[in-house]
Amino acid sequence: MYAGTTAWANDAVGTLKPPCPRIASPAGQSYLQPARLKPEEVAAKNRLGCLSPADAVYGPDGCPQRYCGADAGVFPFNPGSP
């Protein structure tokens, strides 16, 4: 994650790709935007799932499509349970 808009990205052969459009951020976190992925990384990332509420689901071009949601990747910690 990083602040601002997605920068122009180079692919493996040096072709510049335009920045990804910004996605609507959770309330109070408008400064965050998920990083762009390489298109060949998207299937594995989406299969892995969401690691946190600030994580995203990605489109085939490597751009984030939407945030995972408030409960994504959140594990309750209860030290008293087995």
Side-chain angles (χ1 to χ4, degrees):
M1 302 299 232
Y2 57 90
T5 59
T6 305
W8 284 74
N10 282 317
D11 63 13
V13 294
T15 305
L16 284 176
K17 294 183 177 185
C20 294
R22 290 182 59 85
I23 57 175
S25 300
Q29 298 180 4
S30 61
Y31 58 91
L32 294 177
Q33 282 294 292
R36 183 181 198 146
L37 299 179
K38 294 177 182 175
E40 59 270 17
E41 298 172 335
V42 170
K45 165 60 185 89
N46 286 342
R47 214 175 16 257
L48 178 65
C50 297
L51 303 175
S52 76
D55 201 354
V57 174
Y58 287 82
D61 61 353
C63 289
Q65 300 295 302
R66 62 177 168 80
Y67 279 98
C68 291
D71 295 329
V74 177
F75 299 98
F77 177 69
N78 186 351
S81 65

